[in-house]
């Protein structure tokens, strides 16, 4: 499952990402984490990134993509990945697509966790955090207010309102997000890879919708994979050493196999049709030979083999 996650600050996509990691056993690839790790490890890319950052510049897309590619080569990313926070613009999205195409691992899904701006405003500006560092409880004055205003339910300490959670700052952050993300939404929509999930309701409700989307998105691939595995299993018998590897996945292949068997049975009724259309004899005068000659000529012939030759003659009379 190769996913790009899109969603505003406060959309809850981080929570959904964690749940996806648990359920599908795929890593989340965060470019921030990759940068820190590469710099700490002193790799080639890490040194390039560090020199850019030391010079107060943005790390180039090439370097970031190189780090993502390295990350994808690790075993835990074989079953897929979740990209969060990258790409942020169309050139990055295009470069990512090109890199994934080279790896034959194209993106399968761009998942947008969509939440109305006014709800995001309340989620972000309403946030209050317990000032007691060893407690750190989080509240929201709109959605999960403390019992006593400004006081932590758990430890009684004062609740703090982070300065970057004020309305103006939040609104401009959301505008920046909107400007960045709208083109990406269009980009992935045009590719047919965009799916949107409403980011309101309980975490579990949202996650149910997310996994429903993923299951649907994965179905064609799963079918293709099981077909490939079934094909592999068929070719395997001559070589007794290999079948042990892939016996279980063949389950899904049983469905397609059932269809061909049903078809022969369906053909039988065709023979009965001519018999059912007995009204034809009543209208022997051949008033409507044009229509019937075309559609029913064959059945009539079958019933009365002796008159086969007479039918064509009737046509000629007209
Ligand atoms: Zn507290």
């Amino acid at each position: 499952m190769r996913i790009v996650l899109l969603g505003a600050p406060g959309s809850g996509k981080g929570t959904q990402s964690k749940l996806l990691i648990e359920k599908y056993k795929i890593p989340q690839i965060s470019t921030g984490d990759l940068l820190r790790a590469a710099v700490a490890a002193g790799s080639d890319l890490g040194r390039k990134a560090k020199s850019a950052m030391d010079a107060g510049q943005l790390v180039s897309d090439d370097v970031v993509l190189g780090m993502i590619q390295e990350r994808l080569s690790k075993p835990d990313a074989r079953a897929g990945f979740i990209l969060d926070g990258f790409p942020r613009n169309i050139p990055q999205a295009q470069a990512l697509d090109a890199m994934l195409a080279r790896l034959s691992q194209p993106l399968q899904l761009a998942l947008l966790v969509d939440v109305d701006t006014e709800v995001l405003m309340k989620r972000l500006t309403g946030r209050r955090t317990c000032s007691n560092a060893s407690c750190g409880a989080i509240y929201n004055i709109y959605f999960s207010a403390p019992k006593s205003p400004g006081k932590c339910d758990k430890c009684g300490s004062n609740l703090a309102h982070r300065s970057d959670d004020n309305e103006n700052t939040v609104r401009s952050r959301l505008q920046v997000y909107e400007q960045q993300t709208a083109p990406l939404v269009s980009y992935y929509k045009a590719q047919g890879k965009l799916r949107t999930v409403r980011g309101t309701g309980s975490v579990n409700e949202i996650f149910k919708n997310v996994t429903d989307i993923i299951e649907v998105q994965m179905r064609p691939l799963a079918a293709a994979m099981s077909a490939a595995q079934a094909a592999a299993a068929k070719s395997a018998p001559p070589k007794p050493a290999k079948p042990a590897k892939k016996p279980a996945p063949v389950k899904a292949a049983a469905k397609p196999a059932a269809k061909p068997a049903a078809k022969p049975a369906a053909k039988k009724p065709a023979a009965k049709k001519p018999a059912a259309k007995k009204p034809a004899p009543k209208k022997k005068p051949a008033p409507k030979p044009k229509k019937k000659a075309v559609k029913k000529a064959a059945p009539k012939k079958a019933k009365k083999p002796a008159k086969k030759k007479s039918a064509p003659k009737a046509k000629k009379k007209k």
Side-chain angles (χ1 to χ4, degrees):
M1 189 69 228
R2 297 180 294 275
I3 311 175
V4 162
L5 263 188
L6 302 171
S11 65
K13 72 175 168 156
T15 303
Q16 296 301 318
S17 183
K18 280 177 193 159
L19 294 171
L20 287 172
I21 290 165
E22 282 173 26
K23 182 175 172 70
Y24 294 101
K25 313 294 179 203
I26 53 178
Q28 174 178 315
I29 295 179
S30 148
T31 51
D33 291 346
L34 290 180
L35 273 171
R36 279 186 288 276
V39 170
S43 67
D44 274 1
L45 290 168
R47 284 196 297 274
K48 284 181 188 170
K50 188 171 188 305
S51 66
M53 290 187 291
D54 287 348
Q57 296 166 338
L58 287 174
V59 178
S60 76
D61 288 352
D62 284 348
V63 170
V64 174
L65 280 162
M67 292 189 304
I68 292 173
Q69 184 167 347
E70 270 186 8
R71 180 65 185 83
L72 293 184
S73 69
K74 295 189 178 169
D76 67 334
R78 258 180 223 152
F81 55 83
I82 301 168
L83 262 177
D84 185 7
F86 189 95
R88 288 192 185 277
N89 54 48
I90 298 294
Q92 287 179 350
Q94 289 170 329
L96 176 67
D97 275 348
M99 186 260 279
L100 293 175
R102 286 196 299 274
L103 301 176
S104 300
Q105 292 182 12
L107 277 183
Q108 292 161 302
L109 174 65
L111 184 66
L112 171 64
V113 182
D114 191 34
V115 180
D116 291 342
T117 303
E118 289 317 304
V119 175
L120 292 173
M121 286 298 296
K122 285 184 172 177
R123 285 185 183 176
L124 295 168
T125 63
R127 209 152 52 178
R128 300 291 184 274
T129 312
C130 177
S131 57
N132 174 0
S134 65
C135 171
I138 296 169
Y139 301 84
N140 186 294
I141 57 170
Y142 302 107
F143 304 116
S144 54
K147 286 168 189 161
S148 166
K151 298 285 179 190
C152 179
D153 290 349
K154 292 177 184 171
C155 70
S157 303
N158 288 330
L159 298 183
H161 187 197
R162 276 169 38 186
S163 58
D164 59 353
D165 283 349
N166 77 61
E167 184 157 345
N168 286 338
T169 310
V170 168
R171 203 169 281 284
S172 68
R173 271 168 69 201
L174 292 179
Q175 279 169 356
V176 168
Y177 162 80
E178 195 56 42
Q179 286 162 3
Q180 281 182 341
T181 308
L184 289 174
V185 166
S186 304
Y187 179 83
Y188 288 121
K189 198 180 230 172
Q191 290 188 346
K193 291 177 181 174
L194 183 80
R195 298 292 180 276
T196 302
V197 65
R198 294 289 301 159
T200 46
S202 76
V203 167
N204 286 339
E205 282 166 1
I206 299 166
F207 190 59
K208 169 74 168 61
N209 293 334
V210 167
T211 53
D212 283 351
I213 287 170
I214 287 175
E215 301 300 336
V216 168
Q217 198 79 351
M218 291 285 76
R219 210 168 287 155
L221 181 72
M225 282 174 67
S226 66
Q229 282 163 347
K234 280 180 189 174
S235 66
K239 300 167 188 173
K242 289 182 180 180
K245 285 181 183 175
K246 302 170 182 176
V250 182
K251 286 175 191 170
K255 287 177 184 175
K259 284 178 183 177
K263 281 179 183 176
K267 284 175 185 173
K268 287 175 185 174
K272 292 173 187 173
K273 280 178 185 174
K277 292 169 186 171
K278 285 175 184 174
K282 291 174 186 174
K283 297 171 186 175
K284 278 179 184 175
K288 303 170 184 176
K290 286 178 184 174
K291 292 177 185 174
K292 290 189 177 181
V294 176
K295 292 179 182 176
K296 295 182 181 178
K300 279 177 188 173
K301 285 173 192 172
K303 283 180 197 168
K304 303 166 186 177
K307 294 177 184 177
K308 271 182 184 175
K309 291 169 187 175
S310 65
K313 284 174 190 174
K315 285 178 189 172
K316 286 171 188 172
K317 284 175 189 174
K318 277 216 162 182

